[in-house]
Amino acid sequence: MSERPARPVALVTGGTRGIGVRLAAVLAGSGYTVAVCGRDPDRAERAAAGLGNGAIGLAVDVSVPGEVHAAVSTIIDRLGPIDVLVNAAGVRDQRALPWESDPADWWRTVEVNVRGVMLMTSAVLPGMITRGRGHIIDLGSGIGFRAEPRYSAYSVSKAAAFRWLDNVAAALGADSSVRVVNVSPGLVRTDMTEQMWDGTDDVEFGPSEPIETFVRRFAAGELDHLHGRFVHAVKDDY
């Protein structure tokens, strides 16, 4: 086993593309050694190489329990205890009316966006509780709080993921030293959002700076009063 860096450790799922790769860079720049997870091993290694500071990249399907537990064990062994978890991995379903959706595609969206969050949190949280510290950030969406019939699985999954975090926060209690939050980044331009809103919709993409600032501040313990909340990084005053 190699010598562990004397830095706090952050794990970012979905950290090889989109918002996840930006958040991994923010945490690396804030002094964390970052582990990034994605489904493509080469992409994960390249993402980690770009971060420096001893970052590592791992190929992980967050919906598969064995892969999640193996990844968390590897990170702890190579880097040390995980101080910050960012659940940024997510997929969307193909645009269709709810009853015309392909069942396999619909359910795969729920598996990644809900089961993935549940599995990764369940693998990391006990260690945080034992050590008496930690921060978990789930990337949510305002779509989870309104009907979006063109992407019903994505809408349902984001609503369910928030309710999962709500239950985790309630179980931890208001005075817990482990803090969790669900945060919407707003409509940031990524490969996924460009595919969802493909020019046929009147949408306006916004900057990524609000979610980057939020994650940096929450990870640093500056926003612990938001424990258990859903927050919109662009619209809310926190």
Side-chain angles (χ1 to χ4, degrees):
M1 183 178 65
S2 60
E3 184 179 351
R4 294 172 180 171
R7 293 170 176 265
V9 176
L11 165 57
V12 181
T13 72
T16 65
R17 65 180 68 219
I19 293 176
V21 74
R22 303 179 198 183
L23 299 182
V26 166
L27 291 168
S30 299
Y32 290 84
T33 298
V34 180
V36 292
C37 293
R39 283 176 289 176
D40 185 314
D42 293 334
R43 195 177 187 114
E45 290 182 6
R46 289 196 302 269
L51 296 173
N53 297 328
I56 61 173
L58 300 172
V60 183
D61 183 335
V62 296
S63 70
V64 179
E67 293 191 23
V68 168
H69 286 283
V72 170
S73 294
T74 297
I75 293 164
I76 293 172
D77 182 58
R78 292 177 60 181
L79 303 181
I82 297 167
D83 300 284
V84 174
L85 167 64
V86 179
N87 283 309
V91 298
R92 53 94 180 180
D93 44 326
Q94 297 299 311
R95 182 183 291 214
L97 293 172
W99 58 88
E100 294 177 351
S101 299
D102 176 79
D105 174 63
W106 199 98
W107 193 247
R108 176 60 180 167
T109 301
V110 175
E111 280 192 316
V112 174
N113 296 357
V114 184
R115 193 184 194 201
V117 170
M118 179 267 179
L119 289 173
M120 191 60 73
T121 301
S122 298
V124 172
L125 184 58
M128 291 182 171
I129 293 172
T130 297
R131 296 190 306 278
R133 68 181 188 277
H135 290 83
I136 296 177
I137 303 160
D138 293 348
L139 288 198
S141 172
I143 288 179
F145 295 86
R146 69 175 189 270
E148 181 40 82
R150 294 166 293 184
Y151 298 104
S152 59
Y154 190 75
S155 176
V156 167
S157 71
K158 290 301 183 180
F162 169 69
R163 188 55 63 199
W164 156 259
L165 180 131
D166 190 32
N167 278 280
V168 169
L172 288 170
D175 297 327
S176 173
S177 56
V178 179
R179 314 300 279 181
V180 300
V181 73
N182 184 292
V183 57
S184 168
L187 189 56
V188 176
R189 187 185 298 275
T190 65
D191 290 344
M192 186 176 76
T193 57
E194 283 189 330
Q195 291 168 5
M196 292 177 73
W197 318 117
D198 58 4
T200 62
D201 305 280
D202 183 18
V203 299
E204 183 176 346
F205 291 104
S208 61
E209 284 81 7
I211 185 61
E212 293 170 11
T213 299
F214 182 93
V215 167
R216 176 181 55 77
R217 293 186 62 196
F218 191 83
E222 298 175 13
L223 301 175
D224 282 356
H225 59 282
L226 299 176
H227 177 58
R229 295 253 314 266
F230 170 80
V231 181
H232 195 294
V234 178
K235 298 178 180 178
D236 289 345
D237 182 7
Y238 48 82

